[in-house]
Amino acid sequence: MRDLPPTATLRAFEVATRHATFTSAAAELCVTQSAVSHQLKHLEAVWGVQLFQRGKTLSLTPEGAALAPLVREFFSKLDTTLADLREQKGRVRLRVSTTYSFALKWLLPRLPDLARLHPEILVTLESTDSAINFASTDPDVAIRFGQGNYPALHTEFMFREQLFPVASPALLQRFGVPEEPAELLRYPLLTRDGAGLVPKWDVWFRLNGIPIDVLHESVRFADTNMTLEAALLGQGIALARSGHVEKELAEGSLVRLFAIPSPSPAAYYFVCPKGIEAEPPVLTFRRWLLEQSRKAQRSYA
């Protein structure tokens, strides 16, 4: 970078692009007008281009206009990065992996409480549905949805959700409020594409003693968030997990249908490599997470 001038010269250019005169730019920089003029002439000589049209007021040349946003972005990113580094000084970073839907709907709303109680921990959220081997590039700890069968890892049960249908008030106004589970068969039902632990309508109906042959599906969705968004838009009834609709139920944007206990066949588990569960930042996060889980389990039960 042989054409990179001193930072003070770049700063003079960045400030001058926001002022009408060298005098007002000098006032912001707390230097003399001649010092600003000298720095900008030096910069023009180094780069071999004219940056300003000089007159009663300053105006950028086409070359100056092309360079101004680049220099401004440089200082903006530098300021932001330095602020982040100062904020992180003395804090311990803990990389936490979980699924995107769980992070968005359950964990993220609770993280301000962790920050309030334990400001020394800086949580970095990583979302993935893939298996984690906890290699050097993997996160420190993870939250997984399954049967709890992780023999090579330190594993702790967090909570088990309930499964129940949810609908928007607008949809219920159009179709009416169902009084029995069997009535849902005449409603548009929103389904998630996928296998394994994805909530399935046919399973829910069978658990409630309703044999079915054909579901009235409108659209199949690729993930949980899309399914719930469609329910919010009044496009149909979704089969939801209790931990994914806490905010919507509290606000009334979604309504739970039927107070029928239907425990999810899978649950959430905290996992990490054996041996690090007692390390200070992991231990602090574990205790906070399990306390939040106990509160959630009480409300779901």
Side-chain angles (χ1 to χ4, degrees):
M1 297 294 292
R2 63 183 181 183
D3 294 335
L4 185 63
T7 304
T9 305
L10 287 176
R11 176 59 84 182
F13 172 61
E14 189 277 326
V15 172
T17 63
R18 297 185 278 102
H19 289 270
T21 65
F22 285 153
T23 302
S24 58
E28 180 177 332
L29 291 167
C30 298
V31 297
T32 65
Q33 183 269 344
S34 61
V36 173
S37 179
H38 176 75
Q39 286 177 321
L40 293 176
K41 285 181 180 178
H42 174 67
L43 185 59
E44 289 175 326
V46 171
W47 282 347
V49 295
Q50 185 179 348
L51 299 171
F52 291 94
Q53 296 286 354
R54 291 161 174 80
K56 288 186 178 180
T57 59
L58 290 174
S59 61
L60 288 166
T61 64
E63 294 83 358
L67 290 164
L70 301 178
V71 175
R72 192 172 297 122
E73 183 182 15
F74 165 73
F75 282 109
S76 175
K77 288 185 175 180
L78 181 63
D79 289 344
T80 300
T81 302
L82 286 172
D84 289 344
L85 291 173
R86 293 187 185 108
E87 182 184 357
Q88 294 171 19
K89 188 176 182 180
R91 303 179 74 188
V92 179
R93 184 184 296 273
L94 187 69
R95 293 190 299 164
V96 180
S97 171
T98 186
T99 62
Y100 178 77
S101 60
F102 180 80
L104 180 67
K105 294 294 188 179
W106 194 91
L107 186 56
L108 197 60
R110 290 169 167 82
L111 282 181
D113 181 73
L114 176 67
R116 179 181 60 83
L117 294 173
H118 304 287
E120 73 280 5
I121 297 179
L122 178 62
V123 170
T124 301
L125 279 182
E126 302 176 5
S127 61
T128 179
D129 291 328
S130 303
I132 296 176
N133 298 318
F134 289 104
S136 58
T137 57
D138 282 337
D140 302 305
V141 301
I143 299 167
R144 280 292 169 262
F145 184 63
Q147 306 297 339
N149 183 27
Y150 311 106
L153 300 173
H154 173 85
T155 304
E156 291 180 84
F157 173 83
M158 289 173 54
F159 61 86
R160 187 180 303 276
E161 297 165 296
Q162 296 286 329
L163 299 176
F164 47 81
V166 293
S168 70
L171 182 133
L172 296 177
Q173 189 173 15
R174 293 200 314 270
F175 287 86
V177 179
E179 296 183 3
E180 297 180 357
E183 293 182 37
L184 292 185
L185 292 173
R186 65 179 178 84
Y187 287 74
L189 301 178
L190 305 172
T191 59
R192 259 212 62 185
D193 200 10
L197 301 175
V198 173
K200 293 180 175 61
W201 277 112
D202 54 348
V203 175
W204 186 84
F205 278 117
R206 282 198 297 271
L207 287 173
N208 287 280
I210 305 165
I212 58 170
D213 296 321
V214 180
L215 286 176
H216 179 201
E217 296 179 274
S218 53
V219 183
R220 284 196 174 192
F221 297 92
D223 61 46
T224 299
N225 298 316
M226 291 174 64
T227 309
L228 294 178
E229 185 63 26
L232 287 166
L233 293 171
Q235 295 179 7
I237 297 178
L239 186 58
R241 296 191 185 106
S242 45
H244 288 70
V245 289
E246 292 175 330
K247 177 174 177 289
E248 291 78 7
L249 293 179
E251 293 175 345
S253 55
L254 287 177
V255 178
R256 175 177 177 171
L257 305 177
F258 315 119
I260 303 171
S262 298
S264 169
Y268 288 95
Y269 295 85
F270 170 86
V271 298
C272 68
K274 289 182 178 179
I276 75 163
E277 67 274 7
E279 292 182 2
V282 177
L283 179 61
T284 299
F285 180 74
R286 276 178 55 217
R287 287 175 172 171
W288 172 83
L289 183 67
L290 294 176
E291 176 58 27
Q292 293 293 321
S293 299
R294 283 190 285 271
K295 292 178 181 178
Q297 187 69 83
R298 286 196 294 271
S299 69
Y300 303 156

